[in-house]
Amino acid sequence: MIVELAHFSLILAFMVAFAQAVVPGMGLAQGRMAVAALARPLAIGQFALIALSFGGLIYAFLGSDFSLKIVFENSHSAKPALYKFAGTWGNHEGSMLLWVLMLAFLGAMVAVFARRLPTAFLARVLGVQGAIGVCFLAFSLFTSNPFARLSPVPPDGRDLNPLLQDPGLAFHPPFLYFGYVGLSIAFSFAVAALLEGRVDTRWARWVRPWTLLAWASLTLGIAMGAWWAYYELGWGGFWFWDPVENASLMPWLAATALIHSAIVVEKRDTLKVWTILMAIVAFGTSLVGTFLVRSGLLTSVHAFANDPLRGQFLLLIFFVLTGAALFLFVLRARHLSPGGHYQWISRESALIGNNLILSVILFTVFLGTFWPKLADLVLSRPVSVGPPYFNMVTIPFTVVLVLLMAAGGLTPWKRGHTARLLGRLKPVILGTAALTMLTFWLTRGGPLLAVVGSFMAFWVLIGVGADVAGRISLGRTDFRSSMRRLIGLPRNFWGSALAHMGVGVVILGMTGTSLWVTQAASVMQPGDILPVAGYDLRYDGKTVGKIANYEAETATLTVLRDGKEITTLQPERRWYPVAEMMTTEAAIKPRWASDIYVAIGETRDGGQVVRAWHHPLVLFLWGGAIMMALGALVSLSDRRYRAAVTPRSRARVAPKSTGPAASLPAE
């Protein structure tokens, strides 16, 4: 009964989403603002219905209701409760239901927390959200129904993909989905602005918090995915330019560009056309990512589906939504006034440069991800595009991006002076050079790329420090006055500084764990020693046992330093008999400056294959990602983004008439 109610709620949600997409627009066209205002309760009602439907699916998974096809294919009665719960979205159908749940949730948040937005503008925003909901609810109901039944009912299930039976990956998809779907709000704001023909500083202030929220969620989701790959797959790395990894990176790059271009609109009332375009591109790339994971076009260890029919449906959604938005953009963009003027040496120029470089990186990642299939289709021969291509193309652009990042923070708005900028950059250059040389000496040389990575990290970190020092007049006034200014700096600035510092810390972590890594491997017998980076790993033996829904081979290794025991590590190989799959569970000893990482392989020549890595600074990678996401959340807490629109500004923003081009400026 509960499952049937959940299915019926999903059908009702589709109908409500259709009404949300159509009714507000009809009200605006007829000049009936009371009808347009129905967008708010419709958005809230759609969320309530989808939440009820998703709750019914959770109930089916926790209760092991194998009459549902999705539960049979992705659960098992012996599976731990956590993974029964995570199994709700650990599959194609359930993950799409989570996708539309988050879409409806964000639409309801706009309806609740944006009450002071002009009624006409809010109706257009929620109408676009309703149209997106119609597309994906139709996809879920007609091609990916999570409530399809089986008859007769199987006695037990096939189990969830063992790679997904992990806390890191259990919560990695929801963060990514929230980021993907969060960009739909920026998309809806952009389309609504095009319909009204107006983009100004207030619009940028409205759209920026939602983009920050999506960006923070994407950042955490990508970091959690990298963390899962690091300790679960047992290959000693965290990123391999996998197509699904690229699917999450592309919208992150676009969202980063969107945030910075929105800053220019908010501060200087310029770069409007670019900001609208980036809002469309950001959500478009999230749709591309959804298509990649579910179409079967590209393979990955964590792809959700391999169904060309579903892929065609998703591709149709992509072309309908982004195509309509781009068509409207072509029609209306020329009516958007360019805004203020600025010189080449200015913060506007630095932010535009960052945007262009981010766009180039986005294009190269997109091209490298799809080129193998395009080459196969056009040239009829297989082409491989791997990490060497991505590293060779993206690293030089990233270096320029980082240089602009620190320099831009020290450049004034509108106009700057070369001599003054160089004066402010002088301590940054000297400090960065000194720390880079010190790092080179401490690491006894190392690869040239490690020197470049160290320079980039220190450049960002010292640049942020110089920006703070300049804002509080440190050294130019008495210390007490500087501290008062420090306390008075707005949260938006602190959030930006924290996020940029996180970028520097992440670069330092990437440099350490990728370029200063030490690796060793051996076939070991009990009592054998494997040296790695000044540590000795003593193999003490292996045990075999059955745990929950898998069988585990657990090796025990003692880590010694100068003959003293530091810790014991127990890497595992797990065999899941129902899914008939073997997985690797690495054992990691985290230290503030490095990780000792051990994984075991198959038995060979009567001994155990043991692989060990020493990863310097890898904790900086995860810590930097948290700093970046936290910086976005700190910016969100700034009172300027919580301030309501005043009645006077509402009157200025609201169009004089309700036609589709009511607020276009006269030519």
Side-chain angles (χ1 to χ4, degrees):
M1 179 62 183
I2 292 180
V3 171
E4 282 73 17
L5 179 61
H7 191 187
F8 183 63
S9 295
L10 193 62
I11 297 172
L12 281 180
F14 172 74
M15 297 177 180
V16 171
F18 185 81
Q20 181 183 333
V22 174
V23 171
M26 292 176 59
L28 291 175
Q30 298 170 5
R32 301 168 63 185
M33 301 308 291
V35 175
L38 290 175
R40 181 178 290 116
L42 286 171
I44 296 172
Q46 183 196 160
F47 166 66
L49 289 168
I50 298 176
L52 181 61
S53 180
F54 192 73
L57 190 60
I58 292 175
Y59 174 84
F61 266 90
L62 292 178
S64 296
D65 184 356
F66 298 118
S67 67
L68 280 185
K69 182 180 179 182
I70 187 177
V71 179
F72 165 70
E73 292 181 344
N74 299 280
S75 190
H76 191 272
S77 57
K79 191 169 65 174
L82 171 63
Y83 302 125
K84 289 183 179 180
F85 177 71
T88 308
W89 59 80
N91 56 84
H92 170 71
E93 293 82 2
S95 64
M96 284 311 305
L97 186 56
L98 179 63
W99 211 100
V100 295
L101 174 68
M102 291 182 171
L103 181 71
F105 171 69
L106 286 167
M109 284 183 66
V110 172
V112 171
F113 293 108
R115 288 181 172 272
R116 296 296 182 90
L117 289 183
T119 301
F121 186 78
L122 180 60
R124 290 188 171 102
V125 171
L126 294 179
V128 176
Q129 281 294 113
I132 299 171
V134 168
C135 292
F136 281 95
L137 283 166
F139 176 75
S140 182
L141 285 169
F142 301 135
T143 74
S144 310
N145 183 10
F147 300 106
R149 291 284 195 176
L150 289 176
S151 182
V153 178
D156 216 328
R158 294 177 177 173
D159 209 356
L160 178 66
N161 183 344
L163 290 175
L164 304 180
Q165 296 187 39
D166 178 87
L169 206 65
F171 298 103
H172 155 69
F175 277 98
L176 279 185
Y177 296 166
F178 197 80
Y180 290 159
V181 175
L183 294 175
S184 71
I185 302 297
F187 175 85
S188 297
F189 270 84
V191 173
L194 289 172
L195 289 171
E196 288 200 351
R198 185 188 300 272
V199 177
D200 55 17
T201 58
R202 291 181 297 275
W203 177 88
R205 191 166 297 177
W206 294 335
V207 77
R208 194 172 167 216
W210 301 101
T211 309
L212 281 170
L213 187 63
W215 184 86
S217 186
L218 264 177
T219 301
L220 288 175
I222 292 171
M224 291 177 71
W227 181 50
W228 168 81
Y230 175 66
Y231 72 80
E232 174 70 20
L233 299 183
W235 63 286
F238 64 93
W239 187 272
F240 198 68
W241 295 101
D242 180 276
V244 177
E245 293 173 337
N246 295 348
S248 60
L249 178 63
M250 289 187 288
W252 186 88
L253 291 168
T256 305
L258 172 59
I259 289 171
H260 288 86
S261 59
I263 292 174
V264 180
V265 178
E266 181 183 349
K267 298 290 186 181
R268 299 288 303 133
D269 195 28
T270 188
L271 211 63
K272 301 173 184 178
V273 173
W274 180 265
T275 304
I276 291 290
L277 180 61
M278 290 312 303
I280 296 171
V281 170
F283 183 58
T285 53
S286 75
L287 295 178
V288 168
T290 306
F291 166 74
L292 272 176
V293 177
R294 300 166 196 283
S295 64
L297 181 67
L298 299 170
T299 57
S300 168
V301 295
H302 36 238
F304 271 119
N306 186 14
D307 188 338
L309 179 61
R310 290 170 174 171
Q312 292 170 13
F313 201 119
L314 286 170
L315 202 59
L316 178 63
I317 292 175
F318 167 77
F319 281 120
V320 167
L321 293 177
T322 58
L326 289 173
F327 179 73
L328 185 61
F329 174 80
V330 171
L331 292 179
R332 299 296 181 85
R334 63 189 179 91
H335 295 287
L336 301 177
S337 59
H341 300 282
Y342 51 88
Q343 295 181 350
W344 285 106
I345 303 297
S346 64
R347 188 168 300 188
E348 291 95 329
S349 294
L351 289 170
I352 291 171
N354 276 351
N355 269 256
L356 291 174
I357 296 171
L358 285 167
S359 299
V360 171
I361 296 173
L362 170 60
F363 176 75
T364 58
V365 173
F366 179 87
L367 184 63
T369 303
F370 282 96
W371 181 249
K373 288 295 180 183
L374 291 175
D376 188 31
L377 181 65
V378 177
L379 305 177
S380 299
R381 61 185 178 88
V383 175
S384 176
V385 177
Y389 160 81
F390 291 105
N391 292 332
M392 179 182 67
V393 174
T394 60
I395 288 176
F397 287 112
T398 304
V399 172
V400 180
L401 182 71
V402 168
L403 292 176
L404 282 174
M405 183 190 302
L410 299 174
T411 309
W413 292 100
K414 195 173 181 179
R415 64 173 60 90
H417 302 282
T418 304
R420 185 176 299 174
L421 176 61
L422 290 176
R424 298 191 69 183
L425 283 175
K426 184 178 179 180
V428 181
I429 296 171
L430 294 176
T432 300
L435 286 177
T436 302
M437 288 188 290
L438 177 62
T439 303
F440 184 77
W441 178 74
L442 290 174
T443 57
R444 300 178 182 179
L448 177 62
L449 199 56
V451 178
V452 175
S454 302
F455 182 89
M456 292 165 59
F458 295 136
W459 175 263
V460 173
L461 293 171
I462 297 175
V464 172
D467 189 15
V468 175
R471 287 173 181 267
I472 65 175
S473 300
L474 188 64
R476 300 196 304 270
T477 185
D478 62 277
F479 183 75
R480 185 172 297 177
S481 297
S482 294
M483 290 302 100
R484 282 198 297 267
R485 293 185 180 184
L486 184 70
I487 296 172
L489 289 175
R491 292 182 187 178
N492 180 49
F493 168 76
W494 283 120
S496 174
L498 186 60
H500 286 159
M501 288 178 65
V503 172
V505 173
V506 164
I507 294 173
L508 203 56
M510 288 180 175
T511 301
T513 192
S514 300
L515 301 172
W516 293 322
V517 63
T518 305
Q519 180 179 356
S522 179
V523 179
M524 304 183 72
Q525 301 283 351
D528 288 351
I529 299 292
L530 178 63
V532 56
Y535 296 91
D536 291 324
L537 305 181
R538 187 184 68 214
Y539 179 62
D540 298 328
K542 181 176 70 175
T543 60
V544 178
K546 182 173 177 58
I547 304 173
N549 60 329
Y550 63 88
E551 299 170 3
E553 297 178 4
T554 306
T556 301
L557 295 102
T558 301
V559 182
L560 303 101
R561 184 72 178 261
D562 299 326
K564 296 181 180 179
E565 294 187 5
I566 295 178
T567 189
T568 299
L569 297 177
Q570 293 187 309
E572 292 183 352
R573 296 179 77 217
R574 295 178 178 177
W575 170 252
Y576 290 81
V578 176
E580 297 184 344
M581 181 182 290
M582 181 73 77
T583 66
T584 300
E585 297 289 326
I588 303 171
K589 172 60 178 176
R591 303 169 70 84
W592 76 271
S594 63
D595 272 5
I596 303 169
Y597 180 108
V598 181
I600 59 172
E602 68 282 358
T603 301
R604 184 186 302 170
D605 300 328
Q608 179 66 54
V609 174
V610 177
R611 298 180 179 88
W613 289 263
H614 178 256
H615 283 283
L617 306 182
V618 69
L619 286 181
F620 286 40
L621 186 59
W622 324 127
I626 293 172
M627 288 174 64
M628 292 164 65
L630 185 60
L633 297 179
V634 170
S635 292
L636 274 174
S637 69
D638 193 298
R639 63 182 179 83
R640 288 178 298 174
Y641 299 117
R642 302 194 307 268
V645 179
T646 63
R648 183 178 178 182
S649 65
R650 187 190 308 178
R652 287 197 304 267
V653 175
K656 294 180 180 179
S657 64
T658 56
S663 58
L664 290 176
E667 296 186 84

